Amino acid sequence: MDPHSAHSSEADVKTPDLRERTFLPELLKGLAITARHFFKNLFGTRDANVHVLDRNDDSLVTTVQYPEEKVIYPPGYRGLHRLVPREDDPSKPRCVACYMCATICPAQCIYIEAGEYQENDPSTASRVIEKYPTQFVIDELRCIVCGLCVDACPKDAIRMDTGVHTPSEYTRQDFVYDIPKLLKGPGVSHPSDPWFKRGGSEQPAHVHKEAHTRIGEGLVQLKLPHGPRVEIDKSQPVAITKFHK
Amino acid sequence: MKRLGVVGFITGLIVSATFGLMAAAYGLGGLLEKVFFEQFGIVGGSGVSAMLVLMLVFVMVIATLLTLAERKWSALMQDRIGPNRARINLPGIRNQSLAGLPHIATDVVKMLTKEDFQPQAANKFLFNLAPMLAFAPAFALFAVVPAGPTLPVLGYQVQMAVANPDFGLLYIFAIASLAVYGTSLAGWASNNKFALLGGVRASSQMISYEVALGLSLVGMMIAFSTVRLAGVDGMAELQGGYLWHFTTAGGFDIGVPAWGFLLQPLGFVLFFAAAFAETKRAPFDTPEGESEIIGYFVEYSGMKFGLFMIAEFVEVVVLAGVIVAIFFGGYYLPFGNEWLKSREIFVENPWLLGAVFGMVFWLKVVALCYVQLAIRWTFPRFRYDQIQTLGWKILLPVGLVNVFVTGAVVLAAIPAGAEQLPSAALIPYLKPLAIVGLIEIAIVIALTLTPRERTAAEHGHDHHGHGDSHGHSGAHSGHAPVASSASASAH
């Protein structure tokens, strides 16, 4: 741009000319603008497309009428967090009460009390993991929805993939979510999960590692709560041709 | 296209309702004249019908609808939708917003059922008196405004105004100045600092503008040599004439009507501004000033506040009616009045003619209500000192100049030795007045349509994007960009 534009502020102060001093012409121009908006909106059809920028209408109105028309969340929206259930026993969380999420949480909204599956637990199948949370509480009013807990979790036990925001409640206490409220959605398994170990056998560490890598390559089906979201199209050949030559 | 149909349908509904009500008003007027004359031997029963139909039906209904229109129209001007949430739980319209009309009913219910709060230390009598004093003058103003011509119905002359006193306009000035009591009393009786501040602001503003209000209409009084509004020699009737006109082959007359705003454009602007200040609506709403002090009605709740609110809208309707009667040809069309009057159906049924003209009057009133609302939603509030400056230093001197110019033109145009001025539309000095007025209008239009002239200081900066963009393109288009950037670097 012109270098003069930066330091010519004194010259930019307009001295009012006859139109502005008599006031009336400027008033009429202002009224014309208002009237133009009025008639454009009065006669113009309104497109109710919630994507305001994609609207194809004559009206200038950008309102999205909330209960009937809802703004679509952006594709990257995660939503309220949940505790991921174990696939072998969906009544129990994958969480092993390692306190990683509670430690990293900048809002300190996660409270965990750890418990241990007893030797003589009736459901001995649960004992493939030794620790579990007896209390897992998230204060949703404190939560700043930063997602650090999801990143920190070593067991993929907490996720933000529900796609809903915190629903309204009548009391503050109702926003303190405990395990029954948090534990929802389909169960999830990874190849390295301990309940896949055969009894009495010990898989070498590198096998676990390999299994995770395979998920990344799409060779192993990753089980996700909303299947179609990241579903791998098996009918198409894996696109490795571009690595030839 | 669907919107066009809906808007057209509603407009048609309003037009036909106005027509029907005005026809009913003339019928009722004739009937009441007959009954009054035969039973009591007095003339003037049509005033009662005018009171019932014009004031209680037309003014009140339009004012009520304006409470919604203010919100809905302002929404459209600001690219919003406006109130549309209230629904009526009846089959067929259960999920229809009905253009927000149910909101009027919900507002009324809200006003009537709210707690009627009174401040403990307030003067109870004055506190209760103030809303009535604010409402009554606004309402009473309409008494002298004619909504239709005086016509014979059932053998009696029916006039479409509540009263037609000799002092028509003076009555308007007198009653308009009474409105200040309501607001200042409300401010004082509330025993609240902010209310008092609002009341003081209101009273000083309204008293200041009364001077300009009176002066602005002197020109019209000179032009038509009358202060009457209604009746055969009233301003509304005189504006049915033409300044220049010709008649087509079919008997259709067309021409420049003798409307007040053509004779006295300056007077119109002054009156509009002063009367707008009297209504205390934005841009003159410092007495209310909702963002600084809540205003003189801060302590009022429920229907007492509602009275202040509806008084504001009644003022809007009444002001529109007064302006139409004085400046916009009253109930007359700008063309074809003689042609319409000579139609056989209207000669045989004068009340039909009255209904047509009454419809014209009310449509003009609605149009002016729209203009007032548009002004209210276009301009920002004046600062308090700006209001006083505008009133005393601008409107008052310009009003005086207008009176002098009008008087000079009239004196120059009166033929020498004329004792008695000819009546009706043949007043000799209307044409010179209209020429002066048209020149004034042309100047304003020219100033509005031509771009802003640039001073030397900002000469070189036209492609920097300051100022309105189209203001730079017109008059100085001879400047090539190269030349102006050269002059910019010379600075």
Side-chain angles (χ1 to χ4, degrees):
Chain A
M1 276 299 288
D2 198 306
H4 285 275
S5 56
H7 57 82
S8 60
S9 59
E10 278 176 40
D12 277 347
V13 177
K14 287 198 279 187
T15 46
D17 74 339
L18 188 62
R19 288 157 195 82
E20 284 150 18
R21 271 181 284 143
T22 49
F23 212 58
L24 210 55
E26 299 293 318
L27 290 189
L28 291 177
K29 279 182 200 166
L31 275 180
I33 291 173
T34 323
R36 196 170 66 230
H37 278 255
F38 177 83
F39 285 109
K40 224 171 173 179
N41 291 329
L42 181 65
F43 291 109
T45 49
R46 199 178 82 85
D47 187 350
N49 187 353
V50 291
H51 292 296
V52 173
L53 291 178
D54 292 345
R55 281 187 184 174
N56 184 21
D57 54 7
D58 318 319
S59 156
L60 300 163
V61 174
T62 50
T63 313
V64 175
Q65 301 213 50
Y66 171 62
E68 291 91 24
E69 304 161 10
K70 282 181 179 149
V71 177
I72 297 169
Y73 289 128
Y77 183 74
R78 307 289 177 82
L80 198 65
H81 26 222
R82 65 177 178 111
L83 274 180
V84 181
R86 283 163 60 168
E87 200 182 34
D88 64 327
D89 183 1
S91 67
K92 295 197 166 58
R94 287 178 59 85
C95 178
V96 295
C98 68
Y99 289 83
M100 285 243 202
C101 51
T103 310
I104 202 166
C105 179
Q108 301 185 359
C109 66
I110 303 179
Y111 175 76
I112 303 171
E113 272 178 21
E116 205 178 335
Y117 291 115
Q118 295 302 315
E119 291 275 1
N120 52 0
D121 196 303
S123 59
T124 45
S126 302
R127 235 205 135 232
V128 288
I129 303 172
E130 285 167 17
K131 268 176 90 188
Y132 72 102
T134 54
Q135 290 262 35
F136 192 103
V137 173
I138 299 180
D139 187 346
E140 296 292 350
L141 288 181
R142 277 195 166 201
C143 174
I144 58 166
V145 210
C146 63
L148 284 179
C149 50
V150 181
D151 283 350
C153 185
K155 287 290 173 191
D156 192 17
I158 186 166
R159 283 188 181 184
M160 297 174 80
D161 59 359
T162 47
V164 295
H165 52 245
T166 318
S168 47
E169 302 280 2
Y170 283 103
T171 62
R172 284 168 181 276
Q173 192 53 43
D174 289 340
F175 285 101
V176 179
Y177 281 31
D178 52 0
I179 293 179
K181 247 180 153 175
L182 283 170
L183 192 67
K184 56 191 172 192
V188 166
S189 275
H190 292 301
S192 58
D193 280 339
W195 49 87
F196 285 143
K197 287 179 195 166
R198 281 162 297 182
S201 78
E202 192 78 21
Q203 272 188 321
H206 71 271
V207 177
H208 295 192
K209 216 173 179 178
E210 195 184 349
H212 278 297
T213 320
R214 283 176 183 172
I215 294 168
E217 286 170 356
L219 300 175
V220 173
Q221 177 63 44
L222 175 65
K223 284 173 182 161
L224 285 171
H226 312 303
R229 251 174 135 184
V230 198
E231 188 133 30
I232 296 152
D233 194 356
K234 289 271 176 62
S235 65
Q236 298 294 322
V238 180
I240 47 171
T241 45
K242 69 175 179 183
F243 294 109
H244 283 296
K245 294 170 191 173
Chain B
M1 278 325 280
K2 192 190 157 210
R3 296 278 295 178
L4 210 63
V6 171
V7 173
F9 173 74
I10 292 173
T11 313
L13 207 66
I14 292 171
V15 168
S16 46
T18 325
F19 180 84
L21 275 170
M22 280 312 287
Y26 271 99
L28 188 65
L31 209 64
L32 282 175
E33 283 280 356
K34 191 179 161 86
V35 168
F36 271 52
F37 189 73
E38 285 172 359
Q39 300 294 318
F40 315 111
I42 48 173
V43 185
S46 57
V48 178
S49 112
M51 211 185 303
L52 290 175
V53 180
L54 298 189
M55 292 174 86
L56 290 184
V57 176
F58 271 104
V59 173
M60 276 315 281
V61 166
I62 294 180
T64 313
L65 288 175
L66 275 184
T67 59
L68 175 72
E70 165 130 291
R71 293 189 277 162
K72 205 73 182 171
W73 290 356
S74 67
L76 290 177
M77 288 169 199
Q78 298 169 349
D79 298 344
R80 294 182 285 113
I81 292 178
N84 64 353
R85 287 288 121 183
R87 300 285 149 98
I88 298 173
N89 198 5
L90 288 175
I93 53 171
R94 190 156 284 157
N95 281 320
Q96 303 280 318
S97 65
L98 300 175
L101 279 174
H103 278 271
I104 294 176
T106 57
D107 275 354
V108 170
V109 170
K110 181 192 79 175
M111 294 278 192
L112 288 175
T113 53
K114 262 187 154 179
E115 183 194 357
D116 184 20
F117 178 78
Q118 282 195 354
Q120 203 176 16
N123 185 324
K124 297 275 183 298
F125 175 68
L126 294 181
F127 187 80
N128 288 329
L129 187 67
M132 302 176 206
L133 274 185
F135 181 73
F139 206 52
L141 267 186
F142 202 78
V144 293
V145 177
T150 303
L151 292 168
V153 179
L154 302 173
Y156 295 89
Q157 287 291 322
V158 173
Q159 76 178 23
M160 245 327 111
V162 177
N164 183 22
D166 295 334
F167 46 83
L169 276 181
L170 304 181
Y171 169 85
I172 288 183
F173 294 147
I175 299 296
S177 58
L178 279 181
V180 71
Y181 285 104
T183 50
S184 50
L185 265 188
W188 187 81
S190 300
N191 194 26
N192 177 312
K193 285 180 192 124
F194 293 107
L196 183 61
L197 210 52
V200 169
R201 282 187 188 186
S203 51
S204 66
Q205 171 180 326
M206 291 170 83
I207 289 168
S208 311
Y209 275 80
E210 233 132 65
V211 186
L213 190 76
L215 265 180
S216 61
L217 285 187
V218 172
M220 281 305 291
M221 297 177 193
I222 294 175
F224 285 128
S225 317
T226 181
V227 290
R228 271 176 190 259
L229 281 174
V232 283
D233 58 347
M235 284 189 185
E237 191 66 37
L238 290 177
Q239 289 178 75
Y242 290 100
L243 295 166
W244 300 276
H245 82 289
F246 61 91
T247 311
T248 58
F252 195 84
D253 48 325
I254 192 161
V256 181
W259 284 12
F261 84 101
L262 295 176
L263 304 170
Q264 286 281 313
L266 201 54
F268 165 64
V269 172
L270 295 176
F271 178 74
F272 203 16
F276 216 90
E278 293 272 308
T279 62
K280 303 181 294 298
R281 286 166 62 77
F284 298 99
D285 65 339
T286 44
E288 188 183 334
E290 55 221 329
S291 53
E292 25 185 299
I293 57 172
I294 324 293
Y296 52 89
F297 46 60
V298 62
E299 293 286 1
Y300 285 87
S301 61
M303 205 56 212
K304 279 183 202 154
F305 168 76
L307 267 184
F308 281 117
M309 208 66 204
I310 199 79
E312 193 178 307
F313 288 103
V314 168
E315 273 176 4
V316 169
V317 182
V318 170
L319 175 58
V322 170
I323 288 179
V324 166
I326 299 176
F327 289 105
F328 284 92
Y331 34 80
Y332 280 114
L333 287 164
F335 45 78
N337 290 320
E338 301 304 320
W339 179 82
L340 213 58
K341 279 179 186 169
S342 62
R343 291 304 92 188
E344 202 172 322
I345 180 171
F346 291 134
V347 173
E348 283 168 11
N349 308 299
W351 60 273
L352 265 182
L353 183 71
V356 169
F357 281 140
M359 183 184 78
V360 170
F361 175 82
W362 287 111
L363 291 183
K364 282 183 192 171
V365 166
V366 171
L368 264 170
C369 287
Y370 168 77
V371 172
Q372 289 187 61
L373 260 63
I375 289 174
R376 188 243 179 281
W377 288 100
T378 304
F379 305 131
R381 183 187 308 146
F382 284 122
R383 217 170 45 215
Y384 187 71
D385 62 312
Q386 290 171 332
I387 285 185
Q388 295 296 348
T389 308
L390 181 67
W392 290 108
K393 292 190 187 168
I394 299 173
L395 292 192
L396 186 62
V398 174
L400 282 171
V401 167
N402 187 40
V403 170
F404 284 132
V405 169
T406 312
V409 171
V410 167
L411 270 183
I414 289 179
E419 287 286 313
Q420 189 76 40
L421 285 175
S423 64
L426 292 169
I427 304 173
Y429 46 77
L430 281 189
K431 282 179 188 176
L433 270 181
I435 291 170
V436 174
L438 287 173
I439 290 172
E440 285 170 11
I441 293 176
I443 290 173
V444 171
I445 291 176
L447 282 180
T448 311
L449 294 183
T450 52
R452 183 176 188 280
E453 67 206 33
R454 290 181 305 174
T455 56
E458 56 187 309
H459 206 62
H461 299 276
D462 58 349
H463 56 280
H464 292 183
H466 69 266
D468 50 344
S469 56
H470 82 275
H472 295 290
S473 57
H476 295 270
S477 56
H479 280 280
V482 181
S484 48
S485 63
S487 70
S489 51
H491 274 291

